Amino acid sequence: MDFEPTTDDSEDTEFFDPLENPDTEFQVLGSDAEDGLSGVEIEFSMDDGGSESVAHERGNEAELQEMQTQPAYATVGRFHVSPMQMMQLLGNAGLRRLFTNHRASEFGSLNADDDGEIEDGYGGPSIGRRRRPKGAKQKFPPIPSQEGRMLMDSGTFGRNEYYEDILRKRKNRLSRRLMSRELGTNVDHPLRSNRLMSQSLIPSSEVDIIIHYNSRCYSGQFSDDGNFFFSCAQDFKVRMYDTSNPYKWKYYKTVVYPYGQWTITDATLSPDNRFLAYSSIRSIVCLAPTDPTETGDPLLLDFSDTGNRSRRRFNGGYSHFGIWSIRFSGDGREIVAGTTDHSVYVYDIESRQSILRIPGHHDDVNAVCFGDASSPHVLYSGSDDTLIKVWDRRSMGDSREAGVFMGHTEGLTYVDSKGDGRYVLSNGKDQMMKLWDLRKMMPTEKASRIDPGRYTTGFDYRFMAYSETDYQPHPHDCSLVTFRGHRVLKTLIRCHFSPSGSTNSRYVYSGSEDGSVYIYNMDATLAGKVNVKDATYQSRPRDPELYNSSHNDMGDLRGGVDWKTCVRDASWHPNAPVIAATSWNGWRMSTGTCTTHSWNDGARDDEAEPKMGLRVNERLEHDDDLYGNSSSKYNRPSQFRTRLRTQRVAATTEDDEDW
C-alpha cells in the first residue's frame, strides 16, 4: 500500500505521547465549541511515586521512611498545543495507540498457544506497536558484513583492488590507471583493469540537469540498453526521453493513463523497447507504443479478465483491485502484476487475458519481478505481510510457493532481481534493505509453521517516524546482508542492483525519504551518497497563493513552507556513470523532479555544454521563470506559476484504502 498526504510533516513533528509516562494525569483546557481547537492547552500533573521504587531498589530504609513521612507533592505544568498537533495526536499517535493497547489487554489471551503459554513474538497487527525495553542492547546486523565481504572477494559483485604500493597500500587513481594502460605498464589484465576503473566511478551529488514537473514523480528507469528513459508522475502521464547520449537527453513523447486512481503506480518497458506498460490503482494496465509517430490511445489490458465474462464491469474494467507493481517477462510475452487483492497475476498479451492468479499473500503485494531475465518461470513477490515468496510456475500443482524469504519485520516496498536466477534485493518499511540467495530460501513446510505477524510492530511508515528502539531482530532471518542508513518512509521507496556494464555489479542502491540516493558496497558499508535535496534546493519559485489556510501544517507554524525532497526511485545508466533520480521534490514536497548526476571527479562545474545545474521543464525546454528571483516575483503572477496552478494534481488526504 502506498499513500502519503502532501501536507504531512510527521518526521519533523514532536508528538506528545501519553504512553511515555503512565503516571501523568491530563486535563484538556479549551474554549467553547465555537472556537474549534484554537487555544487548546494541556495541563498535566506528575506525582513522585517513582522515587519510592528507586529507594526500594537501593535498599535505603532511612530514605524510604523519610519519603513516606513527607507529604506527597505533584509537579504541575501547562503548555500550548496547536490545532495541527492536536489533530495529529488524536488521529495518528495518540488515541490510536490507546485503543490498540486497550484492545490488546482484552484479547491478549488470543496469542496463547495450545499449552496456555504466551507466544514470544514482539508485536503484531492485533496489539499495535510495542517499544523495546529501555536499556536493551541493540541487535542490528554488524557492519561491515562478513557474508558481504565474502561475496565481494568471490568476484560475483565486482573486482577487488590490488595494490602496487604494498607498503603504503595506496589505491591507484583513475588518471594513473589510464596512464598505465596507455603505456602498457599495467600488470593487470586489460579487461580487469577496465572493470576496476568503471566500478570506481560513482556519481556525485552535483546535478547535471533538473527536470521539473508540476506533480510528484513516482518512478523512472533507463532501458536495459540505456537508450531510453521514462518517468511516471502523479498527473497520470509518463514522459519518455531519448538517452542514447546519457549526458544530453532529448524529449521523446508523453502517454496518458485515461482514468487513473491517485497516481501512476508503476511502468515497465518491453525487452525490445517498443512498448511501455503502465498501471494505476485499477485493474487496467495501459500498453502504449514508444514510437513518437504513433499518437493513438493506449491498449487497455484488463488483468481481472480471467476468461469469466459474467463478471460485472465498471468504466470498461473490473474495479475490485488495483495494481502496485508490474514487470515484463524476458521474452516480452507476459506481464506480471502485484495487486491490492493480495494476489499475483500473470497476463498473456497475445490472448489478452490473465492466465494465472496466485492468491498467495495476506496483504497488498507491493512488488513483483521475474527471477531470471531469460526465463518466465520463476517469480518473486513482496508484500505488506513482510514476506517475499518465490513462485515456480513449473511446479504449482498445489498452488503453493516454492520457498519464502523471511527476515523483514515490516512490509516490503520493492523487490529487484539481479537477473541471474540467484540473488534478490528487497526494501522494507523496517528501514532495511536485504540481499537474499535463492539457495538459502526457507522451505514452504517450515514457513507455514511460522506466523510472520508475531514479528511485526504495526509501524505505519506513511505518518510515523521509525524509532530504532522499536527494532527486534527476526529470529528466522535468512538474508545474506542487511543494509541500513537510508529511510523508507512516506511512500514505497525502491532499491536496485547496480548494472554490470557501468559498475561491474559492485553496488546496491536505494532512494530515501531524506532526499538522497544511498549507494552501498556488498558488505553493507556506504560507498557513496547522492544528495538530491541539496543539489535542487529552491530550484523553482514558490507561489504564495498556492498554499491557503486549508493546507496549514507545522511547516507554516514554524515560520514558512519548507522545501522537502523524497527520492522515491533511482536508475543507474547501464553504460555510463550516471544516476537519474526521480523524486517528490519542491515546496512542501508537492511537485516532482528528475535529476541526473554523473561522476565528475569532485568538480563543481565544467566547461562543457550544457552547464551543470540546468533547469528545464518536462519537455526539456528552457523556462526563464525557473531561474527567477522568487522573492521579487511574489507581487506579480508569472506564466510559470499560472501553469503550475492549472496543471497541478491536487493532493488530498484520501487514503488509498478507501478507493
Side-chain angles (χ1 to χ4, degrees):
M1 181 179 61
D2 185 16
F3 163 77
E4 190 277 323
T6 308
T7 58
D8 184 64
D9 265 347
S10 59
E11 76 278 14
D12 296 330
T13 305
E14 296 182 2
F15 291 99
F16 183 76
D17 192 350
L19 300 182
E20 294 293 340
N21 194 334
D23 296 329
T24 304
E25 300 176 359
F26 300 95
Q27 179 182 2
V28 178
L29 305 179
S31 55
D32 297 334
E34 61 186 12
D35 294 331
L37 291 175
S38 60
V40 174
E41 295 183 352
I42 289 183
E43 180 177 336
F44 64 93
S45 61
M46 185 167 55
D47 56 31
D48 295 332
S51 302
E52 294 188 17
S53 60
V54 175
H56 276 295
E57 293 177 0
R58 294 177 178 176
N60 192 335
E61 298 295 338
E63 181 180 353
L64 178 60
Q65 183 177 5
E66 180 181 358
M67 292 175 58
Q68 292 176 346
T69 57
Q70 293 180 354
Y73 294 95
T75 303
V76 180
R78 178 182 297 181
F79 59 91
H80 178 77
V81 178
S82 69
M84 194 61 191
Q85 286 175 318
M86 178 60 69
M87 293 303 297
Q88 291 177 334
L89 171 66
L90 298 179
N92 296 330
L95 290 183
R96 184 169 62 185
R97 292 185 183 176
L98 293 176
F99 292 151
T100 53
N101 287 342
H102 177 68
R103 179 183 175 188
S105 64
E106 291 182 351
F107 301 101
S109 59
L110 297 179
N111 291 329
D113 58 18
D114 296 336
D115 298 330
E117 297 179 358
I118 303 299
E119 296 179 350
D120 58 352
Y122 54 86
S126 61
I127 64 174
R129 298 188 69 191
R130 175 178 174 182
R131 297 183 179 275
R132 284 178 60 91
K134 292 184 178 180
K137 184 179 179 181
Q138 297 291 342
K139 299 180 181 179
F140 290 106
I143 299 177
S145 167
Q146 294 300 321
E147 191 73 27
R149 175 53 62 179
M150 292 174 59
L151 291 174
M152 296 174 68
D153 294 340
S154 68
T156 305
F157 294 92
R159 299 285 180 177
N160 294 322
E161 287 278 1
Y162 291 89
Y163 300 98
E164 293 185 5
D165 192 337
I166 303 299
L167 296 178
R168 295 185 180 182
K169 293 187 177 182
R170 180 174 54 193
K171 294 182 180 180
N172 287 331
R173 295 179 60 87
L174 177 64
S175 57
R176 184 177 180 86
R177 291 186 185 278
L178 291 173
M179 182 182 67
S180 299
R181 187 184 67 179
E182 297 302 319
L183 295 177
T185 60
N186 196 341
V187 295
D188 286 338
H189 189 276
L191 180 59
R192 174 158 50 183
S193 178
N194 291 338
R195 289 178 176 175
L196 282 173
M197 284 189 287
S198 65
Q199 75 182 31
S200 65
L201 306 181
I202 298 178
S204 67
S205 296
E206 300 299 326
V207 63
D208 294 338
I209 184 172
I210 308 173
I211 306 175
H212 282 283
Y213 301 92
N214 292 335
S215 57
R216 292 169 168 175
C217 284
Y218 271 71
S219 64
Q221 285 293 305
F222 287 107
S223 60
D224 292 339
D225 57 9
N227 294 328
F228 197 89
F229 182 86
F230 65 85
S231 64
C232 306
Q234 200 174 5
D235 57 2
F236 304 107
K237 295 180 180 179
V238 183
R239 281 89 175 180
M240 309 180 198
Y241 303 95
D242 178 4
T243 57
S244 53
N245 181 351
Y247 301 99
K248 191 174 183 180
W249 293 16
K250 297 178 181 179
Y251 174 75
Y252 214 55
K253 67 180 296 187
T254 298
V255 293
V256 181
Y257 194 101
Y259 46 89
Q261 171 69 34
W262 181 251
T263 185
I264 290 181
T265 55
D266 202 3
T268 178
L269 271 171
S270 61
D272 56 5
N273 294 348
R274 293 180 56 200
F275 295 97
L276 178 76
Y278 49 104
S279 62
S280 184
I281 313 179
R282 299 290 189 194
S283 60
I284 300 293
V285 169
C286 294
L287 186 66
T290 58
D291 189 345
T293 62
E294 299 187 30
T295 58
D297 295 333
L299 183 65
L300 302 183
L301 310 179
D302 190 352
F303 272 60
S304 64
D305 183 5
T306 57
N308 184 4
R309 296 293 180 179
S310 63
R311 302 172 69 182
R312 184 169 60 89
R313 293 172 176 264
F314 174 75
N315 285 345
Y318 301 108
S319 60
H320 23 274
F321 67 82
I323 296 176
W324 292 125
S325 177
I326 56 175
R327 284 295 175 272
F328 259 107
S329 62
D331 56 10
R333 297 180 179 180
E334 297 175 341
I335 300 176
V336 61
T339 66
T340 60
D341 67 347
H342 313 169
S343 302
V344 177
Y345 286 79
V346 178
Y347 190 92
D348 183 77
I349 299 177
E350 184 177 357
S351 64
R352 299 285 299 275
Q353 69 179 23
S354 293
I355 59 175
L356 179 63
R357 176 180 180 265
I358 310 173
H361 287 276
H362 299 287
D363 211 328
D364 288 5
V365 179
N366 295 326
V368 291
C369 66
F370 286 93
D372 193 338
S374 60
S375 172
H377 299 301
V378 179
L379 306 173
Y380 301 122
S381 60
S383 169
D384 273 332
D385 62 11
T386 74
L387 300 180
I388 303 173
K389 293 192 175 183
V390 183
W391 309 93
D392 191 340
R393 298 168 59 187
R394 296 165 296 186
S395 58
M396 289 188 59
D398 56 355
S399 299
R400 300 181 67 189
E401 63 272 12
V404 177
F405 290 129
M406 190 176 295
H408 281 288
T409 57
E410 306 294 343
L412 277 295
T413 66
Y414 197 73
V415 174
D416 186 38
S417 172
K418 192 173 183 289
D420 57 359
R422 179 172 172 181
Y423 292 106
V424 188
L425 188 68
S426 65
N427 235 1
K429 299 173 186 177
D430 53 5
Q431 315 304 301
M432 297 184 186
M433 181 169 58
K434 288 180 177 289
L435 178 70
W436 315 83
D437 189 339
L438 190 64
R439 301 173 302 174
K440 297 186 178 182
M441 65 181 179
M442 183 179 295
T444 305
E445 293 75 15
K446 180 179 179 180
S448 63
R449 298 192 297 267
I450 301 174
D451 179 13
R454 295 170 53 189
Y455 308 106
T456 183
T457 65
F459 164 70
D460 194 335
Y461 78 119
R462 298 170 298 173
F463 309 107
M464 304 169 68
Y466 190 84
S467 175
E468 291 187 351
T469 58
D470 292 339
Y471 171 75
Q472 290 275 8
H474 200 297
H476 305 286
D477 189 357
C478 58
S479 62
L480 293 180
V481 186
T482 299
F483 307 87
R484 293 190 300 112
H486 59 294
R487 298 200 300 191
V488 186
L489 299 171
K490 304 285 189 186
T491 183
L492 302 178
I493 292 177
R494 305 185 169 198
C495 62
H496 303 278
F497 289 96
S498 65
S500 58
S502 56
T503 68
N504 201 17
S505 302
R506 186 66 169 182
Y507 312 105
V508 292
Y509 60 100
S510 171
S512 177
E513 185 269 344
D514 62 5
S516 297
V517 179
Y518 285 76
I519 305 170
Y520 297 97
N521 294 307
M522 299 311 299
D523 62 356
T525 58
L526 189 65
K529 182 179 176 181
V530 178
N531 195 325
V532 179
K533 180 178 180 180
D534 287 352
T536 61
Y537 185 69
Q538 296 188 3
S539 58
R540 72 185 304 167
R542 181 182 62 182
D543 184 3
E545 299 176 2
L546 183 64
Y547 307 100
N548 51 41
S549 58
S550 63
H551 293 90
N552 189 28
D553 66 358
M554 296 307 298
D556 291 323
L557 296 178
R558 287 195 299 264
V561 179
D562 295 333
W563 180 281
K564 292 184 176 295
T565 305
C566 172
V567 180
R568 195 179 190 275
D569 196 8
S571 182
W572 204 315
H573 195 279
N575 304 316
V578 175
I579 284 181
T582 49
S583 313
W584 299 359
N585 198 1
W587 300 104
R588 200 178 294 159
M589 214 156 51
S590 59
T591 55
T593 61
C594 176
T595 56
T596 61
H597 308 261
S598 61
W599 177 85
N600 55 11
D601 203 17
R604 300 187 62 86
D605 203 351
D606 56 25
E607 299 178 355
E609 292 293 340
K611 294 293 185 181
M612 296 175 64
L614 180 67
R615 308 174 193 176
V616 295
N617 61 18
E618 66 273 6
R619 291 178 173 265
L620 305 185
E621 299 169 342
H622 178 79
D623 195 325
D624 290 331
D625 285 326
L626 290 173
Y627 293 88
N629 184 356
S630 59
S631 61
S632 65
K633 292 189 176 185
Y634 277 172
N635 297 325
R636 62 181 181 88
S638 66
Q639 295 180 356
F640 175 80
R641 293 201 295 271
T642 301
R643 293 196 304 273
L644 187 65
R645 286 192 294 270
T646 57
Q647 299 178 11
R648 182 187 306 274
V649 175
T652 67
T653 58
E654 176 188 3
D655 197 327
D656 287 346
E657 293 179 336
D658 298 329
W659 63 266

